[in-house]
Amino acid sequence: MLHCVTRYLDLEDFCNLVQARAALGIALGSGRTSKEIATRCIPQSREVRLARKGSISYREALFRTFYRRKAYRTAQPCSVLVLGKGSDFLYRDGVLAYLNKGTVHILDVHGSSDTELVLDLRRVLGLVSEGQYIFRLMHYQDNVLSVLWKLQTNDSPDHLAVFKTTLIAASEDRRLLLHTQIPAGQKQFVRHDSKHLISGTYTGTEDSEDDTWKLSYYNLVRGRTSRQRFPPESFSSADIGSNIVFEIFDEYFYAITSQITVDAESADPSSYYGGCRYCLSGGSLQNAEYWRIWRRQQREGPIHDLWTDFSMQQDENSRDLVLNESRREWQDGFSKQKRTFYTEPVNLTTICEFDRAYKEHLELKKAAVILQSAEEDEEDCTVESSLAAVPDLMIPELLSPHKRSAQHYQPEVYDPYQTEIREFSLANTKYRNYNFSTSAFLEIVMNRQRLDHCPDFSGYICIRIGSRISKSSELLNGSMHDTSPTTENALVQPDHMYCDGGIRLWPPVDAPAKLHKLLNCSPIVSKLHAISDERSVIFMAPSSDLERNAPIILINFDPKIRFQGLPRLEPEGDAVDANSIEYCSNEGAPAQSGYDTNTSSHSRAGGYETDTSFVDKESDTSQAWARFQSAEWLENRYGFEL
């Protein structure tokens, strides 16, 4: 009977119930209930995939997910450390790739690896060692890394190199998958998986009306190449991450823009997400699918474009594609701006159904206009002019397809009358991201408040996290909210579906000085380069000097990501003088700080093995361009478990 009742609970309700009473935990410890809840709520999460392999139990998978999501929402990291020093980095699929003076270091962060793969770019590309080169990391996905390089001259062409980052034996294919020259442009991007690569160059200029993206396709397996040009009227947006996004998922290339707008004087004064999808399994950029998803109505108010963030993620629970857009708007014409996080599933079946429903809506609306004109005996009024003059509010609510689910938008502040919520200006907000799986937004901000125990700091870096918690998952099914800002007949308001999880800042002002020194390694922070996922955030303060390395810092929310040898963060006042620790030093922390200085390499589950079988037999092992070594954080160790 207990199993039949609890099997329909969601993840948070089940874990809270088990923790509330020890007897319930024992009664539900068989694993049958845990398996059903895990396969229903988080079927595609990393924890459930481990449970299917037998590495962990389904009960452990549930509680691992529960604890890391709770740590993320409440801004309570499990550890913080410097992973290495570099001038650029990428972080995707739990793997960190960072650039350090012509070498690329690959580290499995989710697997807590103690060893990292090091690629010498000059040797593998056959570059003259005396030349001055500029390297730039472009993309990492499915154990494939792409790097853009050029000579440090104004007229030097751009070259693209693509590498495998997995272990390969000498008898296998080459590690270098592609090395070619690509067109130079004002803006560039590269997206790829293990088989296909798309590079894009923006051709627009200030005086040109032919603004568009030129795409180049490369088949990494067969070596085929083709080129495609986007229609200028549809995909002329140039700001990746603000109004256009490019991604490859499951052998499909997606290009989605938020700049598809219908004339405000037409019958549908709305803006749309314009989408284009190419199937790459055929080995070319042919047979594109074009579609659109409703975004907003123009009467919802003006948008502050500088605060707009646009991205596409995979839902951790289902692996479905989701559009994320953060907008700061003057809603309803008010003078105060409101920030809202909008999500929209990318489901082509749903999109086709929406298009059909929308066409039916226009037909019904036209019929309503004709009926209204006939009743008022307006013989001179045409259907087209009447259709444009009658707003959606005069049409019955059931005829309007523009409904936004309460599940798919989240206000930054639920209570508009809260005065204790601290906001940061755009200049002090260095990084912004919204995570759909945890229903929380994460920002890295510069807090200008003075620290008494760090008098040299004019400000300090902290993370700002806001979240929400669903009151009941049953209420979310079928509950919609009318998107019209002046409509009073909304079915369900978002505050009826969710409770505010609050907005938190970390670390607090009274945190130990050594923690603040670790997070503020760089003396001047004018901008930050940061990437986050559902488990952690990694950031660095890049220098204007491309050859100068900066510390790459990890803030981890997953209790199971545990790097060996990290000391516990003790409260202020212990035997170690915090002011004596120089975290910017290349020598690492001094011995008296209590750090373990052992630099031996230890292989861990999910990490890289210390094997050199991939080295070309024709070259000497000591001069190989690819090698394994202890991770830099082991050699220059400084970090804490919290």
Side-chain angles (χ1 to χ4, degrees):
M1 178 64 69
L2 185 61
H3 165 74
C4 295
V5 173
T6 56
R7 60 185 292 191
Y8 296 105
L9 295 176
D10 61 9
L11 172 67
E12 287 76 14
D13 291 339
F14 175 78
C15 294
N16 288 326
L17 179 64
V18 171
Q19 290 179 329
R21 294 292 298 271
L24 287 175
I26 297 175
L28 297 173
S30 62
R32 178 185 174 188
T33 306
S34 301
K35 182 177 181 180
E36 290 196 20
I37 295 176
T39 54
R40 177 173 54 86
C41 296
I42 50 173
Q44 300 298 326
S45 66
R46 184 172 185 264
E47 288 80 3
V48 173
R49 293 199 299 269
L50 291 175
R52 290 196 184 103
K53 296 178 181 179
S55 302
I56 61 175
S57 65
Y58 283 95
R59 182 188 178 96
E60 187 177 358
L62 285 177
F63 276 93
R64 279 190 183 185
T65 307
F66 173 75
Y67 283 126
R68 67 170 171 82
R69 288 184 177 180
K70 183 178 179 180
Y72 192 104
R73 290 168 177 164
T74 57
Q76 296 180 344
C78 302
S79 60
V80 54
L81 68 151
V82 174
L83 294 174
K85 297 179 185 295
S87 57
D88 190 14
F89 78 89
L90 296 173
Y91 181 49
R92 188 183 177 107
D93 300 333
V95 177
L96 171 69
Y98 63 96
L99 183 64
N100 187 328
K101 295 182 179 180
T103 60
V104 176
H105 300 244
I106 311 294
L107 178 65
D108 183 6
V109 176
H110 284 185
S112 306
S113 177
D114 292 343
T115 57
E116 57 186 15
L117 172 67
V118 181
L119 301 178
D120 191 330
L121 297 179
R122 293 174 181 266
R123 290 184 178 180
V124 67
L125 298 175
L127 304 179
V128 180
S129 59
E130 290 78 10
Q132 297 297 324
Y133 300 95
I134 298 176
F135 297 100
R136 177 184 168 196
L137 303 182
M138 298 299 293
H139 191 64
Y140 178 88
Q141 186 174 336
D142 295 343
N143 297 315
V144 175
L145 174 69
S146 56
V147 180
L148 190 71
W149 70 271
K150 61 181 294 186
L151 282 170
Q152 201 170 6
T153 58
N154 295 330
D155 55 350
S156 174
D158 294 336
H159 295 81
L160 181 66
V162 184
F163 311 93
K164 284 183 181 180
T165 61
T166 54
L167 279 175
I168 56 175
S171 60
E172 295 185 74
D173 296 337
R174 295 178 302 170
R175 186 178 294 273
L176 182 62
L177 300 177
L178 177 69
H179 190 199
T180 184
Q181 181 177 334
I182 63 174
Q186 188 179 21
K187 296 184 179 181
Q188 298 168 314
F189 77 86
V190 174
R191 298 292 183 268
H192 59 74
D193 56 13
S194 60
K195 300 178 181 179
H196 315 278
L197 182 143
I198 304 288
S199 67
T201 302
Y202 187 70
T203 60
T205 59
E206 295 181 358
D207 300 330
S208 174
E209 296 180 357
D210 191 19
D211 298 345
T212 186
W213 288 91
K214 289 184 178 180
L215 302 182
S216 299
Y217 167 78
Y218 303 92
N219 191 308
L220 300 179
V221 178
R222 301 177 182 177
R224 296 178 181 175
T225 302
S226 65
R227 286 175 171 80
Q228 181 74 20
R229 182 173 180 148
F230 272 168
E233 66 275 7
S234 300
F235 293 90
S236 59
S237 305
D239 297 329
I240 298 178
S242 179
N243 49 40
I244 195 168
V245 61
F246 301 99
E247 291 292 346
I248 292 181
F249 293 108
D250 298 329
E251 293 195 85
Y252 281 95
F253 173 69
Y254 293 86
I256 303 179
T257 178
S258 60
Q259 299 297 305
I260 305 298
T261 305
V262 180
D263 187 5
E265 297 181 357
S266 67
D268 180 31
S270 302
S271 64
Y272 292 82
Y273 298 113
C276 175
R277 187 177 81 160
Y278 290 95
C279 180
L280 302 179
S281 58
S284 63
L285 291 177
Q286 302 294 332
N287 302 323
E289 298 177 283
Y290 292 92
W291 36 266
R292 69 178 186 177
I293 306 175
W294 180 81
R295 179 186 178 221
R296 70 190 298 268
Q297 291 180 338
Q298 302 295 352
R299 62 188 178 197
E300 291 187 42
I303 300 176
H304 195 318
D305 292 332
L306 295 179
W307 281 93
T308 301
D309 299 307
F310 187 42
S311 64
M312 184 162 60
Q313 299 179 3
Q314 270 191 311
D315 183 9
E316 181 193 17
N317 300 333
S318 62
R319 309 299 291 177
D320 293 335
L321 298 181
V322 179
L323 291 179
N324 287 343
E325 185 178 19
S326 169
R327 301 195 294 263
R328 185 180 287 271
E329 304 160 305
W330 287 273
Q331 296 179 359
D332 298 335
F334 291 123
S335 59
K336 183 175 177 58
Q337 304 172 23
K338 294 182 181 179
R339 193 168 173 218
T340 309
F341 303 91
Y342 300 94
T343 60
E344 194 68 40
V346 181
N347 188 321
L348 293 186
T349 303
T350 305
I351 292 170
C352 294
E353 294 176 354
F354 168 79
D355 288 338
R356 288 195 299 267
Y358 181 67
K359 293 178 181 178
E360 294 176 0
H361 159 69
L362 291 181
E363 294 297 329
L364 291 173
K365 186 175 179 180
K366 183 181 293 187
V369 171
I370 296 175
L371 180 61
Q372 180 182 5
S373 300
E375 292 178 351
E376 297 178 359
D377 196 19
E378 296 180 355
E379 298 180 357
D380 297 334
C381 182
T382 62
V383 173
E384 287 75 10
S385 61
S386 299
L387 189 62
V390 176
D392 286 340
L393 296 180
M394 298 183 63
I395 306 300
E397 183 185 2
L398 294 178
L399 300 185
S400 176
H402 298 327
K403 295 284 186 179
R404 182 179 289 127
S405 171
Q407 188 178 5
H408 295 146
Y409 70 102
Q410 176 179 339
E412 180 183 22
V413 181
Y414 274 76
D415 186 0
Y417 300 101
Q418 291 184 8
T419 58
E420 62 273 11
I421 299 299
R422 183 175 181 185
E423 297 184 353
F424 291 83
S425 64
L426 182 62
N428 289 326
T429 304
K430 306 300 182 180
Y431 173 74
R432 307 183 299 267
N433 183 63
Y434 181 80
N435 188 269
F436 178 77
S437 301
T438 57
S439 296
F441 65 87
L442 182 147
E443 299 173 344
I444 300 179
V445 298
M446 177 60 68
N447 195 334
R448 297 300 178 182
Q449 185 175 356
R450 303 289 296 188
L451 298 175
D452 295 336
H453 51 310
C454 297
D456 296 336
F457 287 5
S458 59
Y460 65 96
I461 291 176
C462 61
I463 57 175
R464 180 176 182 262
I465 295 180
S467 63
R468 67 178 181 181
I469 303 173
S470 61
K471 293 182 179 179
S472 175
S473 59
E474 297 296 329
L475 292 176
L476 295 177
N477 297 328
S479 299
M480 311 291 286
H481 174 62
D482 199 325
T483 58
S484 303
T486 57
T487 303
E488 298 179 357
N489 58 350
L491 296 181
V492 181
Q493 295 291 341
D495 53 352
H496 297 164
M497 313 300 303
Y498 298 90
C499 58
D500 189 3
I503 299 178
R504 296 174 172 85
L505 293 176
W506 182 90
V509 178
D510 57 351
K514 49 191 173 184
L515 177 59
H516 285 294
K517 286 178 176 287
L518 174 59
L519 293 173
N520 297 271
C521 293
S522 300
I524 300 177
V525 182
S526 58
K527 63 178 181 178
L528 281 180
H529 173 42
I531 304 175
S532 62
D533 58 10
E534 70 280 357
R535 302 171 190 272
S536 56
V537 57
I538 298 179
F539 69 93
M540 65 174 290
S543 172
S544 57
D545 184 3
L546 298 178
E547 294 296 328
R548 182 178 179 182
N549 294 327
I552 301 173
I553 302 172
L554 165 71
I555 300 178
N556 166 46
F557 298 95
D558 189 350
K560 291 301 179 179
I561 298 179
R562 304 192 66 177
F563 288 94
Q564 179 187 359
L566 288 183
R568 257 271 192 232
L569 178 63
E570 300 296 337
E572 207 64 33
D574 51 356
V576 179
D577 183 9
N579 294 323
S580 66
I581 302 178
E582 297 294 339
Y583 292 101
C584 296
S585 171
N586 291 328
E587 299 300 325
Q592 65 268 23
S593 64
Y595 292 93
D596 180 10
T597 56
N598 179 23
T599 59
S600 60
S601 174
H602 300 274
S603 61
R604 300 174 63 91
Y608 297 104
E609 297 291 339
T610 54
D611 187 3
T612 58
S613 59
F614 59 86
V615 178
D616 190 352
K617 294 181 179 180
E618 296 181 359
S619 61
D620 186 70
T621 304
S622 61
Q623 298 181 354
W625 51 264
R627 67 183 187 278
F628 282 92
Q629 68 177 27
S630 297
E632 184 173 337
W633 69 271
L634 279 174
E635 299 174 355
N636 304 307
R637 178 177 307 168
Y638 44 108
F640 306 101
E641 286 188 357
L642 305 175

